Amino acid sequence: MAYKTHPEFSVPHLPSGILIAVSRLLGASFYVQTVCGEMVNLLIYAFVCYFAMRRLPSGKMILACIALFPTNLYIATNYSYDTLVTSFIMLGMAYYISEQQQPDKPISTRDTVIMCGAFVLACLPKLVYAPLILFPLLLRKKCFTKQDYKRYYRICILILLILGAMLLLNVFSQLTGGGDARGGAVSPRQQVRFILTEPLHYAKILIKFLLSYLSVGNMSNYIVHFAHLGVGSGAFVFIIAMFVTALTDKTEHDRFKRGALSEAYAAIVYFGMAAVIATALYVVYTPVRLETVNGCQTRYLIPLLFPLFAYIGNPGVLKLAGKRWYNLAVMLPLIAVLYYNIFDFYIAAAL
C-alpha cells in the first residue's frame, strides 16, 4: 500500500539543503552535491568559532583548543547538527563572558539578541541544552540603570519562555510516545515511574555511570574519535592544553571570576548538565531498570567544555608577555596532532 511521507523542516540541515539544491540546479554530480552539503557545515563552524574568538578579550586559546578537537572537525565535515550545537553555544558563551569582562560597557539590544539567539540556535536541535540560556540572566553591569535591566531581562526571559515551552512539548511527546526504537524495549513512562518511585536506586545508577562518563580517561572518546574509523592519537595534548590555557589565558578582565564561588557554579553547570543528558537518554533510549545508561555518547559533553574551562582557573593573576608567542606555543602542538590523525586515518590508509 502506497503512502506519502512528509519531510520535516530542520534548521540545522537548512544550509546544507540549500547548497545541495543550488549545486543540483547547476548540474553537479551526486558526489559534488554531497561535498557541497558537507562543506557548508564546515564553513559555518569555522566562521562561528572565529567570531566567538574575536568577541573575547581573553580566553581565545581556551575556545581554540575545543574548536580544534579532531572529533569536532570530523563532525563538521559530515551531516550532523552537533556542529551547530557546539559552535553556537561557544558563540553565546563568548558574548556572555565578554560582557562580564567589561562591566562598565553597556550591552546593546543587538548584542543581547545575538547572545540569546546563539543559545536558541544551539538548543533547537537538542533542547536538553536549554538550561544554558540561564547564563545571560546572571549578567551584571555596573553601568546598568533599572530601566536597562528591565529591557535586558525582557529579551532574555521571552527567549527563555519560548525555549521552555518547546522543551515541555518535546518532553510530553517523548513520554507519550514509545521512546527511541533504536534503544530496544524502552518505555519512557515506566522509566520515569521507576526514577520517581526509586530515586535512590536511580541515583546509584546515575552516579556510577557519570564516574566513568566524565573521567579523564574517557576524554579521548570525544577529542580524537573518528566514528567508524576508530579512536586517534594525541588526546592528552588537547587535555593538557585545555587545563594550561584555563590557568594562563586570562587577564585582568577576568577578575569578575575571582573566588571559588564562580568556579563551583561552572562545575555545577557541567556536572548538572551531564546528569540531565544522561537522564534524558536513560528515559527515552534505555530499557526499564537497566543498571547503566545506553546511547549517551561522549561527544554530548563537548558543548559543555567551554562554559567550564572559561570559568575555572586563574582569574587574571598571571601576567603573560608576548601574546603572539603564547598563542603559537598553544596552537602548534594542537595542529600537529590534528594533521597526524588526518595522515594516519586518511592518507596512510590510502597508500
Side-chain angles (χ1 to χ4, degrees), residues 273-333:
M273 286 296 299
V276 168
I277 292 169
T279 300
L281 269 297
Y282 192 74
V283 170
V284 302
Y285 198 88
T286 307
V288 179
R289 299 182 68 92
L290 193 69
E291 293 296 311
T292 188
V293 181
N294 287 348
C296 197
Q297 300 183 42
T298 51
R299 73 171 188 270
Y300 299 156
L301 293 174
I302 296 176
L304 305 177
L305 292 176
F306 181 62
L308 175 67
F309 283 94
Y311 259 89
I312 65 172
N314 152 55
V317 175
L318 299 178
K319 302 297 181 183
L320 292 175
K323 197 66 175 177
R324 289 185 179 180
W325 288 106
Y326 170 79
N327 293 347
L328 186 64
V330 172
M331 294 292 288
L332 280 180

Side-chain angles (χ1 to χ4, degrees), residues 241-264:
M242 282 193 295
F243 282 99
V244 169
T245 53
L247 291 171
T248 59
D249 192 15
K250 307 286 173 69
T251 68
E252 63 277 2
H253 295 294
D254 296 281
R255 293 187 181 277
F256 76 92
K257 291 178 275 192
R258 184 179 297 281
L261 186 60
S262 61
E263 294 182 351

